[in-house]
Amino acid sequence: MIIMGDNNMKENHEHENEEKFVKRLIELRQQKNVSARDMSLSLGQSDGYINKIENRKSMPSLFGFFCICEYFGITPKEFFDYETESPATANALSDEIRRLDYAESMHILEVVRDINKRRK
């Protein structure tokens, strides 16, 4: 049995998810400092491909979404991790930290913790 309110809730939820998706796409594209047109062409799409997504006229296919993630150098999970502002930067930082010895890593950890305390 379908209750009328359930359809409205589903539509609202889908709209919220679409809004989050588009906002994230715009954030990541702007961080990379690339235009929607240039990104579209880099993905092998028409020049308006990303613009249409950002203006909510279309959504990418699953394959298109994977290509977008690859373009940004992130995983789909990282794309949807809205709390990590710049997943590509976080990945690069993590890679560099892995190269440090224990004492150096602990020093960096303390610096990061100190910065985060100051932001609260």
Side-chain angles (χ1 to χ4, degrees):
M1 178 166 117
I2 296 177
I3 301 172
M4 199 58 132
D6 287 347
N7 281 340
N8 289 339
M9 283 178 40
K10 182 179 176 186
E11 288 175 16
N12 286 340
H13 187 66
E14 288 174 0
H15 179 72
E16 288 174 18
N17 287 335
E18 185 177 301
E19 289 298 313
K20 287 179 181 179
F21 181 91
V22 168
K23 182 179 178 194
R24 182 65 160 175
L25 176 62
I26 293 168
E27 286 173 356
L28 294 171
R29 182 179 58 73
Q30 289 175 341
Q31 285 175 12
K32 196 168 173 91
N33 198 26
V34 65
S35 69
R37 180 183 187 279
D38 287 345
M39 182 177 169
S40 297
L41 296 174
S42 292
L43 291 169
Q45 300 291 330
S46 68
D47 62 354
Y49 175 72
I50 294 297
N51 190 275
K52 286 179 184 175
I53 296 169
E54 291 181 354
N55 287 305
R56 294 147 189 89
K57 293 179 180 171
S58 68
M59 291 297 283
S61 66
L62 185 57
F63 178 75
F65 170 64
F66 289 148
C67 290
I68 288 169
C69 289
E70 185 176 322
Y71 178 81
F72 290 126
I74 61 175
T75 66
K77 179 182 177 187
E78 291 166 335
F79 184 95
F80 292 111
D81 178 4
Y82 301 122
E83 292 185 20
T84 302
E85 184 177 329
S86 178
T89 302
N91 287 339
L93 183 58
S94 178
D95 290 345
E96 292 299 321
I97 289 172
R98 284 188 193 99
R99 297 175 53 203
L100 302 175
D101 66 28
Y102 178 78
E104 293 166 333
S105 296
M106 291 306 295
H107 179 72
I108 297 298
L109 178 60
E110 290 305 315
V111 169
V112 171
R113 284 181 175 159
D114 186 51
I115 291 169
N116 284 329
K117 282 180 190 173
R118 293 177 192 197
R119 295 175 80 201
K120 291 182 181 180

